[in-house]
């Protein structure tokens, strides 16, 4: 099957959720496939220093907070003195990461994907140097992902553990007394939640007037209220202009985003989380005839092909949401396109989840974006206060909000704050993929008692007729 002119039918550069999925699917489709990865383990940012270790710490720290706060007592569960064993918490996180990265290595062997260990750079569009070896491939998929966006005047030193990025914040040696987050986006709120639960005072400095850019306006407001209640202090409309470190302490200089007097915040740890940038350094894209946008991204068409024939790009290195599941879906689609099939990703319906407590999830258009796009909208909102399961579990924070087109009733977007938001959003994505109306959801039978009934009631509320509120 393999084209004898080349060493491989497909060479994937990068083994994150985009790259490893593309490589496995290409091999499943009978293509001779290799994947170049410079890291010691497979799985990219997501498995090694992103989704997986962050969720491991969120899960463990939630247990700790529940036990330490005494809230279980009202359910008749009495616990003695709670102690934190941070070393064990970190060890369990590492174990999960090792199991999952090892799992990808197993899947590569099972599917006969060759792992070429080393950094890849182009010699031409079909000839790539990986470490000391040079290989040729008929098709190349660039899946090199992204890395932390640096902030001018702020030097990150993860080993010192004082001014850190997300990688350092996943492995702080002790709970800081005061943690300052630079950026009120997803990473700040997830990792800020971890350390707050473990005992740190957390201050979040956000440049914009509100946290969680890109999310629905009602969700952003409600989330800020809930995080404040949990004890995170927010300084919105504020920018960081510099950080200095003296001994074990950091001084963070902040000033109003629109200009004004500077203020110094003292901290034991500072997390820089102002976004991520695509990885193209050292790839020698120009040797393949490629360049990047002014934001450093590689542009592709709807088949994920770049302007150079047979060279494709997927995931964080291309414009769009920097999310693991988007990269994975693109990995499947690009492999299918290379194999002559039709691989499509519907970028309008990609869910986003923030794994805090409660979780925050959204898919499709926000109310604001729907209006900007010219829709007259009908909104259905249902609070978990009216959901019997949430009330029983003493877990009533949040709501489901459905944004529908007023004329057609078609669902344009769904936004949820709830302990189960990340799981519930899948139903909304499926409904939207099938072009569902709010009425379709309202007349779908949902099991009782479940949090999912709030989705049905929000859909009923689009027409003004929920039962339980
Ligand atoms: P990556 O996962 O970044 O993988 C790219 C790989 O390419 C890396 O392993 C890199 O070493 C390798 N590489 C780069 N250049 C070369 C080269 N020249 N030669 C060889 N190899 C190379 N997303 C979610 O959807 N859910 C989450 O819960 C979530 N949590 C996150 C938490 C944190 C702390 C962070 C930082 C990110 C999180 N993300 C999450 C985002 C998610 O990790 C990324 O969107 C996803 O990993 C992108 O996948 P990718 O395949 O495009 O690239
Ligand atoms: P982000 O883009 O989510 O948030 C960055 C925030 O920093 C923004 O609110 C921005 O206004 C603010 N900011 C920028 N410059 C600033 C400055 N100088 N001072 C103060 N605030 C400033 O980026 P984040 O949190 O770094 O995450 C990067 C990406 O990683 C996310 O966009 C997401 O794609 C991915 N991710 C996804 C997760 C998930 O799906 N659960 C979890 C973690 C990361």
């Amino acid at each position: 099957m393999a084209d004898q002119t080349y060493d491989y039918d497909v060479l994937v550069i990068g083994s994150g959720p985009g790259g490893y999925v593309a490589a496995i699917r290409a091999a499943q489709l009978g293509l001779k496939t290799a994947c170049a990865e410079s890291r010691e383990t497979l799985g990219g940012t997501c498995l090694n220093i992103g989704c997986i270790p962050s969720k491991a710490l969120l899960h463990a720290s939630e247990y700790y907070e529940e036990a330490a706060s005494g809230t279980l007592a009202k359910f008749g569960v009495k616990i003695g003195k709670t102690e934190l064993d941070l070393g064990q918490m970190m060890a369990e996180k590492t174990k999960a990461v090792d199991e999952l990265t090892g799992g990808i290595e197993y899947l590569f062997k099972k599917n006969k994907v060759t792992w070429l260990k080393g950094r890849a750079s182009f010699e031409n569009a079909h000839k790539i140097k990986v470490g000391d070896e040079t290989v040729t491939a008929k098709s190349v998929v660039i899946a090199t992902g992204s890395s932390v966006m640096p902030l001018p005047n702020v030097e990150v030193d993860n080993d010192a553990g004082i001014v850190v990025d997300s990688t350092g914040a996943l492995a702080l040696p002790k709970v800081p007394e005061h943690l300052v987050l630079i950026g009120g986006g997803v990473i700040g709120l997830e990792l800020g939640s971890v350390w707050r639960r473990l005992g740190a005072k957390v201050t979040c400095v956000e440049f914009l007037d509100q946290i969680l850019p890109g999310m629905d306006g009602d969700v952003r407001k409600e989330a800020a209220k809930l995080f404040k209640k949990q004890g995170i202090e927010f300084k919105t409309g504020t920018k960081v202009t510099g950080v200095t470190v003296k001994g074990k302490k950091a001084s963070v200089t902040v000033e109003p985003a629109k200009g004004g007097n500077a203020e110094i915040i003292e901290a034991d740890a500072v997390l820089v989380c102002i976004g991520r940038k695509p990885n193209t350094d050292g790839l020698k894209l120009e040797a393949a005839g490629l360049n990047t946008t002014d934001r450093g991204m590689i542009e592709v068409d709807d088949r994920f092909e770049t302007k150079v024939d047979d060279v494709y790009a997927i995931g964080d290195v291309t414009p769009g949401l920097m999310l693991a599941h988007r990269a994975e879906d693109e990995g499947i689609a690009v492999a299918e396109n290379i194999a002559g099939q039709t691989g499509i990703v519907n970028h309008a319906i990609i869910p986003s989840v923030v794994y805090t407590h409660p979780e925050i999830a959204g898919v499709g258009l926000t109310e604001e974006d729907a209006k900007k796009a010219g829709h007259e909208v009908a909104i259905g909102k249902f609070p978990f206060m009216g959901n019997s399961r949430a009330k029983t579990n003493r877990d009533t924070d949040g709501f489901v909000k459905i944004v529908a087109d007023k004329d057609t009733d078609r669902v344009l977007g769904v936004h949820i704050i709830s302990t189960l938001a990340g799981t519930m959003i899948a139903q909304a994505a499926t409904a939207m993929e099938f072009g569902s109306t709010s009425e379709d959801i309202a007349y779908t039978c949902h099991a009782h008692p479940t949090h999912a009934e709030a989705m049905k009631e929000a859909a009923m509320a689009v027409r003004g007729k929920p039962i339980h509120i």
Side-chain angles (χ1 to χ4, degrees), residues 322-343:
M322 288 182 163
L323 295 174
H325 40 283
R326 170 203 157 209
E328 286 186 57
D329 285 7
E330 291 184 353
I332 292 173
V334 77
E336 292 178 350
N337 286 327
I338 291 170
Q341 302 181 354
T342 306

Side-chain angles (χ1 to χ4, degrees), residues 153 162-163 242-246 249-253 264 266-267 270:
N153 302 325
I162 300 171
V163 182
V243 178
T244 52
V245 177
K246 253 200 203 132
K249 296 271 177 195
S251 302
V252 183
T253 309
I264 306 252
E266 305 292 347
V270 178

Side-chain angles (χ1 to χ4, degrees), residues 13-20 36-39 41-52 54-55 118-121 130 143-148 166-167 170 187 190-191 276 279 281-283 314-317 321-327 353 355:
I13 306 177
S15 74
Y20 86 72
E37 172 57 62
S38 52
R39 209 184 279 276
T41 47
L42 299 171
T45 304
C46 175
L47 271 63
N48 288 281
I49 51 166
C51 325
I52 297 306
S54 58
K55 265 78 262 178
R119 273 200 92 66
S121 57
V130 185
T144 47
S146 65
S147 46
V148 174
S166 53
T167 305
L170 289 166
I187 292 183
E190 287 189 0
L191 297 181
R276 296 180 60 80
N279 289 333
D281 283 356
L283 260 182
I314 55 169
D316 280 13
V317 76
L321 293 172
M322 288 182 163
L323 295 174
H325 40 283
R326 170 203 157 209
V353 183
Y355 296 87

Side-chain angles (χ1 to χ4, degrees), residues 135-301:
V135 295
T136 58
K138 184 166 190 305
S139 300
V140 179
V141 179
I142 305 168
T144 47
S146 65
S147 46
V148 174
M149 178 102 75
L151 179 60
N153 302 325
V154 181
E155 202 181 314
V156 166
D157 182 349
N158 286 332
D159 291 333
I162 300 171
V163 182
V164 296
D165 58 24
S166 53
T167 305
L170 289 166
L172 291 179
K174 64 179 178 53
V175 180
E177 249 172 69
H178 186 196
L179 168 66
V180 171
L181 312 171
I182 307 181
V186 195
I187 292 183
L189 293 168
E190 287 189 0
L191 297 181
S193 291
V194 166
W195 293 105
R196 183 200 58 72
R197 292 169 189 172
L198 299 181
K201 169 179 160 56
V202 175
T203 304
C204 174
V205 183
E206 166 57 51
F207 183 80
L208 301 172
D209 289 338
Q210 272 186 304
I211 58 169
L212 291 173
M215 295 223 147
D216 184 86
D218 282 343
V219 166
R220 295 174 78 180
K221 256 188 252 151
E222 183 68 14
K225 207 172 85 191
L226 292 170
F227 290 129
K228 269 183 213 159
K229 208 166 93 186
Q230 292 172 5
I232 298 184
E233 189 184 320
F234 289 98
K235 284 186 172 293
T236 50
T238 305
K239 67 180 174 199
V240 171
T241 53
V243 178
T244 52
V245 177
K246 253 200 203 132
K248 296 262 169 225
K249 296 271 177 195
S251 302
V252 183
T253 309
V254 300
E255 62 180 52
K258 291 178 186 136
N261 292 336
E263 188 195 331
I264 306 252
I265 308 174
E266 305 292 347
D268 311 277
V270 178
L271 166 54
V272 182
C273 45
I274 58 161
R276 296 180 60 80
K277 63 179 180 61
N279 289 333
T280 54
D281 283 356
L283 260 182
K284 298 202 180 137
L285 290 176
E286 58 295 343
L290 278 169
N291 51 8
T292 58
T293 65
D294 50 7
R295 310 191 85 192
M297 309 235 159
I298 301 175
E299 241 156 359
V300 289
D301 61 18

Side-chain angles (χ1 to χ4, degrees), residues 404-419:
D405 181 275
K406 199 165 185 181
D407 294 332
T408 63
D409 192 34
R410 197 168 169 150
V411 177
L412 303 170
V414 178
H415 308 280
I416 309 173
I417 300 187
S418 158
T419 41

